[in-house]
Amino acid sequence: MATAPGIRTVAAVFGLLLLAFALSSTVIYLASPARAASPSSILLNLRPFAARCPPAPPLRVFMYDLPPRFHVAMMASSRNGGGAEGGNSTAFPAWPPSAGGIRRQHSVEYWMMASLQQQQPGGAAEAVRVRDPDAAEAFFVPFFSSLSFNVHGRNMTDPDTEADRLLQVELMDILWKSKYWQRSAGRDHVIPMHHPNAFRFLRDMVNASVLIVSDFGRYTKELASLRKDVVAPYVHVVDSFLNDDESDPFEARPTLLFFRGRTVRKDEGKIRGKLAKLLKGKDGVRFENSLATDGMRSSKFCLHPAGDTPSSCRLFDAIVSHCIPVIISSRIELPFEDEIDYSEFSLFFSVEEALEPDYLLNQLRQMPKEKWVEMWSKLKNVSSHYEFQYPPRKDDAVNLIWRQVRHKIPAVNLAIHRSRRLKVPDWW
């Protein structure tokens, strides 16, 4: 005859089995509707952890009060404008419409500075300016290093580039005297260097800081890396395609593959000349040696080979034109890639694949219409994240850049705290 403790043990085990079965049934029931969702209805899920994590408070940023010669004074033509683009404020100068092309492409520094001028509406801000440096989590250095490179001299050997060098020397003198730079060795300082040649004279002196770059093509591993730095998109120079609402977008874009740009480039960009020989004159291809970019809106695919560095503005012009990017680069890094899956709206080919005769075109021609429309829909959905505007809007390019900076802060703090207690050189 079973004893009382034995009966209680059996009952307890039986109860646990019932509980396990109930829980497993609940999980199966809750998971079933998700599997039934139509794949075609699912677009990019930006911020995939947002449903599980509460929104993080804005990053507290202290901005150095540098003289205008380090930033807005370089925008001489902006003095004729009113407030910044999209806003009604006259306190901060507008980006001058005449400053297009390469100056606009690398104007990330301007838009980041603009975003800290006033509180953003509707709680959209990923970063807020604080006046007390002791309350700051990061320090923004508003030196327009890309614009300085472009306005001080016409080439690398022009004597006028001395003005750019002197600005860098003066800036480093200001930073070295700052106790906030000294206490972290600049690790928690954010410095835009979007042009590949920006800050070229004194880069080694800021190698611990969080750099805002377009890619890593002209940086050593000791100076820049994905671990501490932020890859930011180029500012697109074509108008955004706001009324792309064709009932049949596939047929509305008669050109299969579009490229228009310089074909004579350096380094990895030499592939452009080789692609020109392979693709020019092919059926459905527009491949032209020109600076203009009109034609993207009437094309299904837009070719993005490397330039002098792995990236170029052409990729972001294609995104806001809703032309599916065809990316050919062995070393490209892409903005916001921890939140955005580029493979959902872009195609990637190795250099070897792209140079194999007819391989690339055959792959594009074989894509089913339904697959192209799905990628085009996702591209439309994601394009707003590449808009630069003032005041910034929720999840636009500037706010996503600041969010990327915030992602770097834990590692920054780890490095700062370790440095304060180490008695020997850091073995990492």
Side-chain angles (χ1 to χ4, degrees):
M1 184 171 183
T3 63
I7 293 173
R8 286 196 296 270
T9 301
V10 171
V13 172
F14 183 73
L16 289 172
L17 290 173
L18 285 176
L19 178 60
F21 178 80
L23 289 175
S24 62
S25 299
T26 302
V27 171
I28 293 171
Y29 175 77
L30 291 176
S32 297
R35 288 199 298 269
S38 170
S40 62
S41 67
I42 300 174
L43 296 182
L44 289 180
N45 182 18
L46 188 67
R47 302 180 68 179
F49 304 110
R52 288 177 283 172
C53 302
L59 181 70
R60 300 187 303 276
V61 180
F62 177 82
M63 181 165 62
Y64 279 84
D65 186 17
L66 298 179
R69 64 179 175 276
F70 286 96
H71 40 79
V72 296
M74 294 185 226
M75 300 161 45
S77 59
S78 69
R79 296 170 185 166
N80 298 324
E85 291 182 351
N88 54 14
S89 170
T90 58
F92 192 71
W95 180 262
S98 59
I102 195 166
R103 295 186 183 184
R104 181 175 178 84
Q105 292 176 26
H106 297 291
S107 62
V108 172
E109 54 208 10
Y110 165 84
W111 300 103
M112 292 185 72
M113 183 180 182
S115 71
L116 298 175
Q117 298 303 310
Q118 64 182 38
Q119 188 68 36
Q120 297 179 35
E126 294 287 344
V128 293
R129 185 180 184 181
V130 294
R131 304 289 178 173
D132 178 6
D134 289 315
E137 299 171 276
F139 294 78
F140 181 65
V141 181
F143 173 43
F144 289 3
S145 59
S146 296
L147 188 58
S148 181
F149 173 78
N150 283 318
V151 302
H152 295 128
R154 291 173 293 178
N155 55 58
M156 302 277 277
T157 59
D158 192 322
D160 289 345
T161 60
E162 177 67 6
D164 182 27
R165 189 189 72 83
L166 291 176
L167 280 174
Q168 294 172 38
V169 170
E170 186 179 358
L171 174 64
M172 291 311 306
D173 184 61
I174 294 171
L175 293 176
W176 282 335
K177 291 177 181 177
S178 165
K179 71 175 185 179
Y180 300 101
W181 177 277
Q182 294 172 12
R183 74 181 185 183
S184 70
R187 290 184 179 91
D188 53 4
H189 284 53
V190 181
I191 305 178
M193 292 187 191
H194 200 260
H195 191 287
N197 295 322
F199 222 107
R200 66 189 181 98
F201 294 104
L202 300 180
R203 283 181 175 179
D204 290 344
M205 296 182 180
V206 294
N207 63 349
S209 299
V210 179
L211 308 180
I212 311 298
V213 301
S214 57
D215 58 44
F216 298 101
R218 293 185 182 170
Y219 294 91
T220 64
K221 292 181 179 179
E222 292 74 25
L223 176 61
S225 69
L226 279 176
R227 176 185 57 81
K228 72 175 187 68
D229 302 315
V230 173
V231 176
Y234 288 66
V235 180
H236 61 83
V237 297
V238 302
D239 293 335
S240 300
F241 199 175
L242 301 179
N243 58 342
D244 189 8
D245 299 315
E246 295 285 348
S247 58
D248 190 344
F250 186 84
E251 298 301 333
R253 294 172 176 257
T255 301
L256 176 68
L257 180 63
F258 176 85
F259 174 84
R260 185 174 287 175
R262 292 193 180 103
T263 56
V264 179
R265 309 305 288 171
K266 297 176 287 186
D267 302 324
E268 195 177 344
K270 293 177 181 177
I271 189 178
R272 292 189 181 186
K274 298 176 182 179
L275 288 171
K277 295 178 181 178
L278 284 174
L279 298 174
K280 273 189 176 181
K282 296 286 187 177
D283 185 40
V285 176
R286 286 183 61 186
F287 198 111
E288 302 171 11
N289 186 6
S290 169
L291 293 179
T293 53
D294 59 297
M296 288 185 171
R297 294 187 182 186
S298 59
S299 302
K300 294 179 178 69
F301 300 97
C302 285
L303 190 64
H304 176 71
D308 290 341
T309 62
S311 65
S312 80
C313 186
R314 185 169 291 98
L315 170 60
F316 305 98
D317 288 341
I319 289 174
V320 299
S321 300
H322 309 155
C323 181
I324 294 175
V326 177
I327 299 174
I328 303 169
S329 178
S330 301
R331 299 176 57 222
I332 194 169
E333 296 293 349
L334 299 168
F336 323 136
E337 204 165 4
D338 60 339
E339 301 191 63
I340 296 177
D341 184 354
Y342 283 79
S343 68
E344 296 194 351
F345 58 86
S346 305
L347 298 175
F348 294 85
F349 293 87
S350 69
V351 170
E352 292 74 21
E353 289 173 330
L355 294 180
E356 183 179 333
D358 297 325
Y359 177 80
L360 189 151
L361 289 180
N362 287 339
Q363 294 296 310
L364 301 184
R365 289 179 178 135
Q366 290 170 11
M367 177 179 286
K369 177 178 178 178
E370 294 75 16
K371 176 62 176 177
W372 183 91
V373 172
E374 179 185 355
M375 296 183 73
W376 169 82
S377 297
K378 292 178 178 179
L379 184 55
K380 282 184 62 178
N381 185 60
V382 80
S383 62
S384 62
H385 305 307
Y386 300 89
E387 297 293 349
F388 289 83
Q389 52 215 337
Y390 178 80
R393 298 176 186 172
K394 183 176 177 58
D395 289 339
D396 69 359
V398 173
N399 273 313
L400 290 190
I401 291 170
W402 280 120
R403 193 150 80 215
Q404 292 291 307
V405 172
R406 190 174 67 224
H407 293 171
K408 305 295 182 181
I409 296 302
V412 167
N413 290 334
L414 173 63
I416 293 172
H417 298 164
R418 289 183 73 252
S419 69
R420 291 173 182 170
R421 55 90 172 170
L422 289 179
K423 302 298 183 182
V424 296
D426 192 341
W427 50 88
W428 292 109

